Amino acid sequence: MGWARAEGPAAKKLWGGRFTGATDPLMEKFNESLPFDRRMWAEDIRGSQAYAKALAKAGVLTEEESATIVDGLSSVASEWEAGSFEVKQGDEDIHTANERRLSELIGPLGGKLHTGRSRNDQVATDTRLWLAGAIGRVRADLQALIAAAAERAEAELDVLMPGYTHLQPAQTVRWSHWLLCHAASWQRDDMRLADLLPRVATLPLGSGALAGNPFGVDRRFLARELGFFGGVCPNSMDAVSDRDFVAETLFAASLHLVHLSRWAEDLIIYSSGPYRFVQCSDAYATGSSLMPQKKNPDALELMRGKGGRSVGGVAAILAVIKGTPTTYNKDFQESWELMFEAVDTLHDCVRIAHGVLSTLRINPEAMRRGLSADMLATDLAEYLVRKGVPFRETHHISGAAVKMAEDRGCELSDLTPDDLRTIHPLFADDVAEVWDFRRSADMRDTEGGASERSVLEQIQKLRDYLQNA
């Protein structure tokens, strides 16, 4: 895009009538936001076109004047799209730049557009419009990530692996069950974004600087015109000072990145030498500058790092908002860069995660080798529970069997029924069925459990959610 500032006389500032002294050039740079809020050029034009229509509806503009302004703004949009828009000295933000160019194209009529409007309600409108669209795009890719997890879970349903607590081998689960564990957290993240959207898509336009609009613009018309399905902000002072929706977005983004970080941490561990359960494709890994044999899961490590960085953004936006008195304050300019970075990082990570998951190679044999008979100690205790022995007693009995195997230097499954009967008389020959890892997973057949039936049920629930999301 044409970013270099054009030479020539400075544009008249929107607020310059009160001021006669020159602004410190450093202050000009310190104050301007166009380098980053130019991302909202399309939203600023949409909002202005809707406002021109509302002014005509209120009788402030004629229908012809409104149409001329709308068409002029479309021409400004075309310049942005073509990369030919020239930024000039004095264009301190996207609102100033667009209105200045509009007046160059259609003459003094462009000066009527801002009637009854303030940059306070204008910037809040632009920000909400941009963010609502961005959240929609993130959700589409997040749902694709969830769908990919469900597809892999179904395709690799028979693969067994160790489940861990405290990073110690605990019980037998399906690889699919592990995938769905993370997909469940991603589903909550998508639900959070969906819950947030109505609060983002609430219209502040028509609030003026803080006290409301004196020309009777129809705010509900504006809400419909701009797709603000959350209605209108109920209080004009709050409308221009509310940045809760930005803070909520940063929190939702950070929490999702925390979830992706935990998923990435699992995969980093599972791809390491002692495990070798999985391997990232070459598209998402790098090598070592010194050691030729290395394949580093850099995409996952970067995701983990960005999760940590995102937490700082949440603290930063809360600190910015905390110190501001009612209503609008220039401090809010800081919220844009925090918001843009958070949304960009979130969207990038979601798409990278989808790529990693879709191309990840698994090693079922390595996962199977990670299973050990001592992980069935709980199953051994449950065997006696089914014979009427209280669990607190069977827990100790199973522990004694583990100790016996340790003392003999053998696997728990190497103990014969006769060996086990020396610990408790109710162990029968059918106790040998306990040493079946697949049976162990399938015994966990409650809703949400690791059994084949339950995992298939979880997959269907995810698909039902995605169908209706």
Side-chain angles (χ1 to χ4, degrees), residues 45-65:
I45 287 171
R46 278 181 60 201
S48 291
Q49 288 175 323
Y51 192 67
K53 295 175 185 177
L55 287 177
K57 197 168 182 288
V60 176
L61 297 176
T62 66
E63 291 295 337
E64 184 180 355
E65 287 175 325

Side-chain angles (χ1 to χ4, degrees), residues 19-318:
F19 293 79
T20 56
T23 305
D24 183 330
L26 179 59
M27 176 57 190
E28 292 270 10
K29 185 175 184 298
F30 194 59
N31 184 57
E32 71 178 6
S33 60
L34 190 57
F36 46 88
D37 71 13
R38 66 198 290 261
R39 292 182 61 166
M40 300 190 296
W41 67 261
E43 288 75 21
D44 189 69
I45 287 171
R46 278 181 60 201
S48 291
Q49 288 175 323
Y51 192 67
K53 295 175 185 177
L55 287 177
K57 197 168 182 288
V60 176
L61 297 176
T62 66
E63 291 295 337
E64 184 180 355
E65 287 175 325
S66 175
T68 300
I69 289 174
V70 170
D71 289 345
L73 287 166
S74 294
S75 296
V76 177
S78 296
E79 292 183 5
W80 279 110
E81 288 172 347
S84 61
F85 186 99
E86 283 190 288
V87 174
K88 294 186 177 180
Q89 186 179 354
D91 289 347
E92 63 187 61
D93 55 37
I94 189 60
H95 327 298
T96 310
N98 281 340
E99 186 174 330
R100 184 266 307 162
R101 182 56 180 149
L102 173 67
S103 294
E104 289 176 351
L105 291 173
I106 68 171
L109 175 59
K112 289 189 175 184
L113 174 61
H114 209 57
T115 304
R117 185 174 68 168
S118 165
R119 283 189 296 177
N120 294 0
D121 62 347
Q122 187 178 0
V123 66
T125 302
D126 293 358
T127 304
R128 288 173 180 271
L129 275 173
W130 183 89
L131 187 54
I135 289 173
R137 291 186 290 274
V138 169
R139 286 194 67 205
D141 285 318
L142 178 52
Q143 288 170 19
L145 174 62
I146 295 168
E151 288 170 15
R152 282 205 78 148
E154 184 175 48
E156 296 163 343
L157 183 65
D158 291 335
V159 178
L160 300 179
M161 67 176 289
Y164 299 88
T165 64
H166 307 276
L167 209 54
Q168 303 300 311
Q171 289 183 297
T172 309
V173 296
R174 284 180 157 74
W175 158 253
S176 300
H177 198 47
W178 174 87
L179 278 173
L180 296 173
C181 159
H182 291 284
S185 71
W186 302 338
Q187 180 185 3
R188 292 195 301 275
D189 296 328
D190 185 62
M191 293 167 71
R192 250 183 295 276
L193 290 173
D195 178 69
L196 167 61
L197 263 176
R199 291 188 293 282
V200 173
T202 304
L203 178 84
L205 193 58
S207 297
L210 76 161
N213 188 290
F215 294 98
V217 296
D218 186 342
R219 298 187 68 207
R220 293 191 179 276
F221 164 79
L222 282 168
R224 291 191 300 273
E225 189 75 9
L226 292 170
F228 279 105
F229 59 88
V232 301
C233 296
N235 179 280
S236 61
M237 294 179 74
D238 179 63
V240 298
S241 62
D242 170 28
R243 293 299 182 272
D244 291 3
F245 63 96
V246 178
E248 284 191 77
T249 299
L250 264 64
F251 171 75
S254 180
L255 187 53
H256 179 60
L257 290 174
V258 166
H259 289 151
L260 285 182
S261 178
R262 296 188 72 192
W263 173 74
E265 173 70 0
D266 276 0
L267 289 178
I268 290 166
I269 292 170
Y270 294 164
S271 66
S272 65
Y275 293 83
R276 304 289 190 189
F277 292 174
V278 301
Q279 186 179 93
C280 284
S281 77
D282 291 351
Y284 300 99
T286 65
S288 165
S289 62
L290 177 66
M291 298 164 284
Q293 82 282 7
K294 292 291 294 300
K295 186 173 186 181
N296 301 322
D298 281 13
L300 296 169
E301 292 172 2
L302 284 167
M303 206 177 301
R304 187 173 58 182
K306 290 181 186 298
R309 182 172 169 178
S310 71
V311 175
V314 177
I317 189 63
L318 292 176

